[in-house]
Amino acid sequence: MIEPISDGKAEPARERRTRDRQWLWALLPVFPLVLLALRLWYLSRQNISTMLLLIQHVNPIGLISWLVIKLIWIFPIGVLVGWMVGTLSRISAPHALSPRLARIAYRLPGWVVVVAVVTAAVTWQLRFLPLLGMITVTTSALILRESGRSRLERFASRVLPVAAAVFGYLWFLPAGMEAARGDDPLTAVLLLLPPLLTVVLSGPLPAVAAQPVTIAAGSGLALLVPLLIAAAFLRAPVMPLSMLEIDDQDPTTPTEVVVGYVVTVDDRMTTLLNAHGAISFIPTENVVSRALCPDPTNQPPISDIRVRGWHVEQTLLTLLVTPGPPTSSTLDVDDQELRRHCRAFNAQT
Amino acid sequence: MTTKTRSAARRPDEPSVSPGGAPSSVTGAASGRYLSPWSRVARVLRLITVLVVLALLTVLGVFAVVGFPGPPTEEELLEEAGLTGRSVLRIGVRADQPGTGYYDETLREFVGFEIDIALMIASDLGFRRDQVEFYQIQSEDRARMQATTPTGEYITVDLVVSSYTITPEREAQESVSFSEPYLLTEQSVVTRRDHPPVEHLGDLRGERVCTITTSTSEGPAIEAGLDLYEQNLASACVAGLLDHTYDAFTTDAAIMAGFVAQYPDQLYHHDIGYDRVEAWGINTGGNEALRTLVNLYLYRSWSDPEDQRWEEAFEEHLAPLQPFNGEQQVAIGEQPKVDPVDVREWP
């Protein structure tokens, strides 16, 4: 049985501290703005004139939507891992001084968890879905087990993990075995381990270990999530990367190819940001052709394992909305040339 | 979902206790009972499992930041090969061998089977026709990737597509890295038409036999005890044959077939019943990433039934030579099998 984390009387000092921090939530909307400003700062190589020029021409709606698309998959990691470890800790040692993560997990509204699960189901690659199932089922079973009122609920808490594991193996076993045979240990572990762990994890930990594990997990999340955001952030382009073919009207010299972010185009000048953060102005009449570079973050999959026809590195979102063909096996010259030049740009940034 | 309702139900089987199994001193609804040994084992097992899960998540997180391990992408290979941002691809080829690699003075361009193969690879590497520069390369310079410009200067090329037979000895050199083969042929002999039939290399004993410097035909000719003369270019051997400096010319059939077709009334191609396959490969000069890419494009050309570039090159340049070369097969008319290359590709 779970005791209330705080009843408002037992820990007046802590309660006061918590209330005092409420103003911090007001800073939350500032976070994406700070990220965007930092991204433009990084893109302009700390040159304030370049940054101001970029801000002039960058569309905030575009930036926000880019931010959402590139970072949305990270949000469920924090919520779900915190939820699982916090619940586990609270159930293992209900009377111990609860670490912050356990308190947050306890107060986490149900709809936040549901939103996180649905977001993860849609934006995570198929090979991470067994892990998502494991987190969701074990934590739900733990909550049912500890606070289930009827025998049926407590019975369900025991049956649910086993049923989930059986379903998981029915669905993922062939692909997992194929991955294990096909020299792809990571995919094999991701497909085969979570169903087993679902059964094992649905219960309390030794009380003495609950707090250290929760603190370690909380610290790990606090370190990892910003790192993930930063990594996704620095890789993703803010403006469309283009390859321009420039003909300087001199018949003796061949056309020149330049790659960069097209900041703006008017009838006289095309403004381009190159790989070194420098702005160049090209007479628009000299631009013979322009092509969009492929998304550098959209790389071919590593694994060739499929789960009942679904590629393990595909997300449900890409299954529902088929992305445009990034490349094909029989490339025509222009495609490959484009990729070669764009790659040179991405290697320099 | 987390419930905010405090449950009145007590779990009778797994009460909360302090570590070690002793009854907890903390008073509470769940305390006051011993844990069964099985429960204790289960809890420790769970702790290990949680640690495993956290370790797995950490590894995944690190991979998500630095990139998941796996074979390289085509773009990564292009970058590793030093080809990104390059505007010109330099290729060393033959300029004197009709059919395989020949500089046509009237067209003012290189033509031949090997030129088409080189253009196919260049195109897959992302170089347009006008971004490819061909340079003549001589036999002895193929291992060092040194070709000559029209003004006679030496230049280092990116690829050598120059009738270069794959052998372990050649591959042992640091600057030689062969692709998979793009043509299979065999050693044969060409003489003037007035020469008696040649059944095997031994028939040429006592005669002046020309071959190409550093060619694989040298070994069998020396084994057969022939009086061997070496030239850097196949055209020099043919010129010597035509002006009676030499009595015979031995090297790969596909090299000589073009000359026989050029001088059908003067030259004759003998099938000498020598069974060693001469497999020609592209030298990428020790650039392993480039070798992987070349193999990838050869594999795609071999495996894709819609990709007819190899077949068209053969039909245009080598198949028409066969009628002039009698029983001696010019080369095998199918692209040699290429093994799949471990590169990340879209499914």
Side-chain angles (χ1 to χ4, degrees):
Chain A
M1 171 161 164
I2 304 158
E3 289 298 302
I5 300 278
S6 168
D7 56 11
K9 292 174 189 166
E11 296 170 339
R14 174 184 286 184
E15 183 67 14
R16 198 164 51 243
R17 278 205 309 275
T18 312
R19 198 172 50 235
D20 287 350
R21 287 201 201 99
Q22 292 301 313
W23 63 273
L24 278 171
W25 292 104
L27 288 181
L28 204 60
V30 176
F31 184 62
L33 290 177
V34 170
L35 280 184
L36 293 174
L38 282 175
R39 183 69 179 103
L40 292 179
W41 178 246
Y42 176 78
L43 201 64
S44 57
R45 295 285 192 275
Q46 294 105 49
N47 182 321
I48 203 78
S49 295
T50 311
M51 189 180 164
L52 289 174
L53 182 77
L54 293 182
I55 290 171
Q56 231 178 338
H57 293 284
V58 165
N59 177 0
I61 304 282
L63 284 182
I64 298 280
S65 45
W66 162 82
L67 194 73
V68 167
I69 287 168
K70 286 297 166 194
L71 303 183
I72 194 164
W73 62 274
I74 301 173
F75 147 76
I77 298 177
V79 174
L80 294 177
V81 176
W83 180 55
M84 182 182 83
V85 178
T87 307
L88 203 55
S89 156
R90 187 165 48 82
I91 281 162
S92 308
H95 308 293
L97 191 66
S98 309
R100 185 182 304 261
L101 194 63
R103 295 203 308 275
I104 293 173
Y106 174 68
R107 294 207 186 96
L108 203 61
W111 65 266
V112 173
V113 175
V114 172
V115 168
V117 170
V118 172
T119 311
V122 172
T123 58
W124 287 7
Q125 293 175 1
L126 183 66
R127 58 177 169 168
F128 297 122
L129 295 191
L131 215 50
L132 172 68
M134 179 197 82
I135 293 173
T136 314
V137 170
T138 48
T139 315
S140 305
L142 276 175
I143 292 167
L144 269 182
R145 183 185 173 122
E146 292 303 317
S147 36
R149 292 180 182 206
S150 63
R151 289 175 68 90
L152 187 68
E153 280 181 336
R154 289 200 297 279
F155 177 70
S157 76
R158 294 213 178 261
V159 172
L160 190 66
V162 178
V166 170
F167 175 77
Y169 280 124
L170 281 178
W171 192 260
F172 292 111
L173 191 65
M177 296 305 285
E178 194 191 335
R181 278 195 304 268
D183 198 22
D184 190 356
L186 188 70
T187 306
V189 166
L190 285 173
L191 296 183
L192 297 179
L193 203 56
L196 176 71
L197 298 188
T198 307
V199 180
V200 181
L201 271 178
S202 306
L205 301 177
V208 68
Q211 194 162 346
V213 163
T214 318
I215 291 170
S219 318
L221 275 180
L223 269 175
L224 195 63
V225 169
L227 259 179
L228 286 175
I229 292 176
F233 214 69
L234 294 182
R235 281 184 203 146
V238 176
M239 280 168 288
L241 187 62
S242 302
M243 185 179 97
L244 304 180
E245 216 174 347
I246 314 290
D247 186 359
D248 56 4
Q249 319 283 337
D250 180 359
T252 58
T253 55
T255 58
E256 191 195 352
V257 168
V258 290
V259 177
Y261 297 111
V262 176
V263 180
T264 177
V265 183
D266 58 35
D267 54 350
R268 293 196 55 78
M269 287 293 166
T270 296
T271 312
L272 196 76
L273 178 71
N274 74 13
H276 306 291
I279 292 280
S280 53
F281 299 99
I282 301 158
T284 303
E285 59 180 12
N286 289 1
V287 177
V288 185
S289 67
R290 177 181 170 181
L292 275 181
C293 282
D295 180 1
T297 58
N298 191 17
Q299 293 293 321
I302 294 167
S303 176
D304 53 359
I305 305 295
R306 283 165 187 276
V307 177
R308 299 177 192 276
W310 293 0
H311 197 273
V312 289
E313 285 179 55
Q314 236 178 346
T315 65
L316 198 59
L317 200 64
T318 57
L319 268 181
L320 297 173
V321 189
T322 315
T327 55
S328 61
S329 58
T330 49
L331 291 160
D332 64 60
V333 181
D334 292 340
D335 267 2
Q336 184 71 327
E337 192 187 350
L338 181 72
R339 295 204 311 171
R340 198 161 53 75
H341 287 293
C342 297
R343 176 74 195 183
F345 181 94
N346 292 323
Q348 286 169 30
T349 50
Chain B
M1 225 60 53
T2 309
T3 174
K4 289 177 180 169
T5 321
R6 303 290 93 209
S7 169
R10 178 185 297 182
R11 292 202 26 72
D13 53 337
E14 284 197 12
S16 175
V17 292
S18 61
S24 171
S25 58
V26 182
T27 52
S31 61
R33 275 198 173 197
Y34 286 104
L35 278 180
S36 70
W38 163 242
S39 290
R40 252 180 277 160
V41 170
R43 283 180 177 223
V44 172
L45 197 65
R46 258 177 231 130
L47 174 65
I48 295 167
T49 313
V50 168
L51 295 178
V52 167
V53 171
L54 291 179
L56 180 66
L57 290 175
T58 310
V59 170
L60 289 176
V62 171
F63 281 151
V65 172
V66 301
F68 283 88
T73 63
E74 218 177 313
E75 287 177 22
E76 284 166 353
L77 285 171
L78 279 170
E79 192 189 327
E80 202 185 317
L83 292 180
T84 50
R86 283 272 297 274
S87 55
V88 167
L89 186 72
R90 299 194 175 99
I91 305 180
V93 291
R94 296 293 190 172
D96 66 319
Q97 295 176 186
T100 47
Y102 182 71
Y103 185 73
D104 191 319
E105 294 285 353
T106 50
L107 292 173
R108 301 182 74 80
E109 64 176 22
F110 285 84
V111 286
F113 174 77
E114 290 187 318
I115 306 300
D116 284 2
I117 295 300
L119 284 174
M120 174 178 99
I121 299 296
S123 149
D124 287 353
L125 286 169
F127 292 88
R128 281 178 275 179
R129 178 70 182 86
D130 60 349
Q131 294 171 327
V132 179
E133 289 177 359
F134 287 112
Y135 294 98
Q136 178 174 19
I137 193 160
Q138 301 198 352
S139 287
E140 55 166 359
D141 299 325
R142 293 179 297 188
R144 288 176 289 114
M145 313 284 287
Q146 295 298 306
T148 45
T149 63
T151 55
E153 290 161 12
Y154 278 96
I155 190 168
T156 304
V157 290
D158 301 302
L159 294 171
V160 167
V161 191
S162 175
S163 318
Y164 207 11
T165 302
I166 302 166
T167 67
E169 297 78 31
R170 284 174 172 171
E171 198 136 33
Q173 300 179 65
E174 207 171 290
S175 60
V176 178
S177 51
F178 280 117
S179 70
E180 297 279 312
Y182 59 90
L183 189 74
L184 301 179
T185 180
E186 62 176 342
Q187 188 177 348
S188 62
V189 169
V190 166
T191 63
R192 289 182 299 278
R193 277 209 164 262
D194 54 8
H195 194 279
V198 181
E199 297 289 334
H200 49 84
L201 282 177
D203 292 349
L204 296 173
R205 257 181 228 126
E207 296 183 33
R208 290 160 299 172
V209 180
C210 185
T211 191
I212 304 173
T213 325
T214 69
S215 80
T216 47
S217 316
E218 225 179 331
I222 290 170
E223 271 175 36
L226 302 187
D227 183 12
L228 208 58
Y229 297 83
E230 291 184 353
Q231 288 286 353
N232 242 334
L233 296 171
S235 53
C237 279
V238 172
L241 197 58
L242 292 171
D243 68 12
H244 293 251
T245 308
Y246 309 119
D247 301 312
F249 176 23
T250 179
T251 190
D252 296 350
I255 295 177
M256 298 189 294
F259 293 104
V260 177
Q262 205 174 13
Y263 305 105
D265 300 329
Q266 295 164 67
L267 299 180
Y268 186 79
H269 209 154
H270 302 267
D271 187 0
I272 56 167
Y274 186 70
D275 64 354
R276 206 182 89 166
V277 176
E278 300 284 330
W280 293 1
I282 296 172
N283 183 12
T284 61
N287 187 334
E288 285 301 320
L290 186 54
R291 186 213 324 236
T292 310
L293 283 170
V294 171
N295 285 342
L296 174 69
Y297 302 138
L298 287 174
Y299 171 73
R300 282 186 188 159
S301 162
W302 175 77
S303 61
D304 183 0
E306 285 180 19
D307 188 339
Q308 290 292 310
R309 291 178 295 174
W310 191 96
E311 288 75 9
E312 283 166 9
F314 190 89
E315 283 304 315
E316 187 182 344
H317 299 289
L318 296 183
L321 306 179
Q322 191 58 60
F324 299 99
N325 287 273
E327 287 179 4
Q328 173 58 51
Q329 189 183 26
V330 174
I332 295 174
E334 281 171 20
Q335 186 183 354
K337 181 180 177 299
V338 183
D339 290 328
V341 180
D342 198 15
V343 168
R344 282 169 69 178
E345 289 184 275
W346 291 101

